[in-house]
Amino acid sequence: MTLPYAEPFKTKMVEPIHFSTRPEREKWISEAGYNLFNLRSQDVFIDLLTDSGTGAMSNAQWSEMMMGDESYAGASSYYKLKSAINEITGFEYFLPTHQGRAAENVLFSVLVKKGDIIPGNSHFDTTKGHIEYRKATAVDCTCDIASDTRAVVPFKGNVDLEKLEKVLNDNPVENIPFIILTLTNNTAGGQPVSMENIRKTADLANRYGTRLILDSARFAENAYFIKTREEGYADKSIREIVREVFSYADGMTMSSKKDAIVNMGGFIALKDESIYKEATTFNIIFEGFITYGGMTGRDMNALAQGLYDGTDFHYLESRIRQVGYLGSKLREYGIPIQEPVGGHAVFVNALEFYPHINREEFPAQLLAVELYLEAGIRGIEIGAIMADRDPVTRKNRFPSLELVRLAIPRRVYSDNHMDYVAAALRNVYEKRDNIKRGIKIVEEAPILRHFTAILDRV
Ligand code: F0G
């Protein structure tokens, strides 16, 4: 008999999670203004809000925590992290920051000025935010197929090289400080970017005299997909692939809360000393002295170890397999999901789930609420509420996709939890025709409204 798959780790410490009843959840979600961000985590049974900062650290990471050097300047933890980053990415220069968006803030303070254009593949919200805050423009050049949830293609996160070249052609290079590639493409469903696409993007950057920066939050998951899907990489190790990926780039921003499996942390790494030198000033203003940048010594130690843990093939296989397992269950139950399943989350297509619910009544938010009521599971809406209103017309914006993201924390839940999630969604799906109306907004902030909006049933 072929042996079944089993995870390459066992559990040493457990955290109880709590079942609740539907009447309790009715009360809690109503008190939360039908916004899952407003729930207390103790009132959630399985929390799939995000895979960011929610992973379980290894025994090696916890033991590194005890060895942290909390010196203000020149801590050994800084040098440990510098050496790990150099070994994993090949970058010579690095600055620690407290999380990914802080890395963006520091680096963009050097590179982005008013009127600039920054093309890329589905810039993450905070990346776009830091660009627009500086009165520059993020131009999304993601390949069109990414918005077709049913298309099964191996590298749906790729940038469209023709769209990208057009942006490079149509604008003076002084206004394009860099191209940014997000690995994996979170917004498009955790979809990977191929090595070929990264290499060709770097070629374009070189040819037009600009830079390539990688938003690397999920670089290791991306490398796993390159190894398993791209011709010529099956026999390369994850670390060899990672080194090749970063060899094409001028620098990276990192949210360590994802693929480095720490609860907090980030960094910038760079090839070029002069940008590093300019960025140090901003790091000191915004984050802290350059040898800690918003992180404690113990956090830097855990992060250094997490870079090794997170680039281990067997760990990555268990990770991506589990996300795929949830996807396969949902597929089996006929639930419409973004295909193929990406690296960190399964995305449910709410427009196909509730085709009879008007978009003005936010079908993805409705689905997230119904799933919570059914079984205490928390996902998030990635749809019209998150898209905010148009800044000029103040009308609701309706993006092409209206999704619920079920992000899977790393090394946290078992396949039984995945079965539970799948069964709960199946129940919600079977009852879909009984749901006649959606959700309305009662109160909202002018931007980033999804975090704090007060909602209600129509
Ligand atoms: N880049 C990407 C691709 C991200 O997914 C995130 C965060 C960031 C940058 C910002 O990093 O949170 O450390 O400041 N994504 C989280 C998510 C919040 O749930 O997808 P951060």
Side-chain angles (χ1 to χ4, degrees):
M1 177 178 183
T2 320
L3 293 174
Y5 182 79
E7 284 76 15
F9 49 81
K10 57 184 180 177
T11 309
K12 183 172 286 185
M13 189 191 280
V14 295
E15 177 183 344
I17 51 177
H18 307 287
F19 290 104
S20 53
T21 62
R22 189 165 178 122
E24 284 174 325
R25 294 192 292 272
E26 295 272 7
K27 176 171 168 282
W28 294 330
I29 195 73
S30 153
E31 286 167 0
Y34 292 87
N35 182 341
L36 292 104
F37 281 101
N38 293 336
L39 287 170
R40 288 171 185 247
S41 65
Q42 67 187 31
D43 300 339
V44 173
F45 181 53
I46 298 181
D47 204 346
L48 307 184
L49 184 78
T50 180
D51 64 320
S52 180
T54 52
M57 291 205 295
S58 64
N59 55 352
Q61 286 179 289
W62 278 106
S63 64
E64 282 297 331
M65 296 281 283
M66 301 306 289
M67 302 296 288
D69 176 354
E70 306 304 340
S71 306
Y72 191 96
S76 63
S77 300
Y78 165 81
Y79 290 102
K80 184 175 269 181
L81 180 54
K82 184 175 162 65
S83 141
I85 290 172
N86 179 255
E87 189 182 335
I88 298 284
T89 70
F91 288 119
E92 190 82 15
Y93 300 97
F94 120 89
L95 286 167
T97 63
H98 79 274
Q99 62 184 93
R101 65 200 71 185
E104 292 162 0
N105 187 31
V106 170
L107 185 62
F108 296 2
S109 292
V110 178
L111 296 179
V112 181
K113 60 179 188 314
K114 189 175 165 187
D116 279 353
I117 306 259
I118 291 116
N121 61 336
S122 318
H123 312 63
F124 183 68
D125 320 10
T126 58
T127 318
K128 192 158 179 270
H130 277 296
I131 291 169
E132 291 177 353
Y133 177 72
R134 291 172 172 82
K135 307 238 176 313
T137 311
V139 181
D140 185 3
C141 301
T142 306
C143 58
D144 290 332
I145 201 149
S147 50
D148 175 357
T149 59
R150 288 181 187 262
V152 180
V153 293
F155 292 101
K156 231 171 162 177
N158 280 356
V159 74
D160 179 325
L161 294 160
E162 280 177 24
K163 284 191 206 171
L164 179 62
E165 185 153 18
K166 185 163 175 1
V167 174
L168 295 168
N169 253 323
D170 291 352
N171 295 281
V173 68
E174 316 79 83
N175 288 350
I176 307 180
F178 57 91
I179 300 165
I180 191 156
L181 278 185
T182 308
L183 313 178
T184 57
N185 186 327
N186 181 4
T187 317
Q191 300 294 329
V193 180
S194 70
M195 188 73 88
E196 186 190 9
N197 197 249
I198 297 168
R199 190 171 50 237
K200 288 190 169 162
T201 303
D203 287 347
L204 278 179
N206 285 337
R207 197 137 42 83
Y208 284 84
T210 182
R211 306 175 184 88
L212 173 62
I213 300 291
L214 299 178
D215 174 350
S216 313
R218 300 179 182 85
F219 74 97
E221 290 171 3
N222 200 77
Y224 177 87
F225 285 115
I226 290 175
K227 181 173 168 71
T228 51
R229 290 184 184 173
E230 191 162 351
E231 212 188 308
Y233 289 92
D235 296 329
K236 294 222 151 90
S237 72
I238 294 292
R239 299 227 175 105
E240 283 169 328
I241 293 169
V242 165
R243 281 296 286 256
E244 183 180 339
V245 164
F246 287 119
S247 75
Y248 298 125
D250 297 280
M252 65 186 281
T253 54
M254 177 71 185
S255 168
S256 310
K257 301 168 72 172
K258 284 85 170 171
D259 275 3
I261 328 178
V262 287
N263 304 119
M264 190 48 80
F267 62 85
I268 298 165
L270 295 160
K271 246 179 211 164
D272 183 291
E273 190 184 10
S274 65
I275 301 174
Y276 162 78
K277 281 193 168 158
E278 277 187 72
T280 54
T281 310
F282 293 104
N283 218 61
I284 294 168
I285 298 172
F286 294 134
E287 294 295 298
F289 184 61
I290 56 169
T291 64
Y292 74 89
M295 296 188 76
T296 61
R298 53 184 177 273
D299 284 340
M300 288 192 282
N301 271 18
L303 167 51
Q305 179 61 40
L307 288 170
Y308 296 109
D309 280 22
T311 49
D312 174 78
F313 173 77
H314 296 291
Y315 150 71
L316 281 167
E317 183 177 44
S318 73
R319 157 76 176 155
I320 309 272
R321 192 210 61 87
Q322 186 176 53
V323 178
Y325 174 73
L326 175 60
S328 68
K329 282 270 160 193
L330 298 183
R331 195 178 300 123
E332 183 187 322
Y333 298 156
I335 294 164
I337 56 173
Q338 159 85 305
E339 297 280 6
V341 172
H344 68 294
V346 178
F347 292 69
V348 183
N349 184 341
L351 294 180
E352 288 183 20
F353 198 103
Y354 285 133
H356 56 291
I357 301 288
N358 190 318
R359 289 207 70 181
E360 298 277 354
E361 295 184 8
F362 309 113
Q365 184 65 23
L366 175 67
L367 174 54
V369 167
E370 291 298 334
L371 181 61
Y372 174 70
L373 286 173
E374 177 68 26
I377 297 159
R378 173 158 69 173
I380 52 166
E381 185 250 24
I382 303 206
I385 298 185
M386 188 180 269
D388 273 330
R389 288 177 190 275
D390 183 285
V392 180
T393 66
R394 299 307 297 157
K395 287 209 158 64
N396 281 319
R397 285 193 280 213
F398 295 104
S400 59
L401 295 177
E402 175 85 15
L403 305 167
V404 172
R405 184 181 80 169
L406 304 170
I408 317 294
R410 295 168 181 77
R411 304 191 288 210
V412 170
Y413 292 116
S414 69
D415 285 357
N416 285 340
H417 292 113
M418 298 302 116
D419 287 339
Y420 180 96
V421 173
L425 255 169
R426 182 183 181 154
N427 290 348
V428 176
Y429 195 50
E430 279 168 3
K431 290 185 272 193
R432 65 191 181 280
D433 293 332
N434 303 342
I435 305 287
K436 306 286 183 214
R437 299 300 297 266
I439 298 285
K440 63 180 179 193
I441 297 177
V442 178
E443 221 181 280
E444 62 185 295
I447 54 163
L448 298 174
R449 63 181 179 178
H450 60 288
F451 289 115
T452 53
I454 307 289
L455 313 168
D456 203 351
R457 285 192 186 277
V458 174

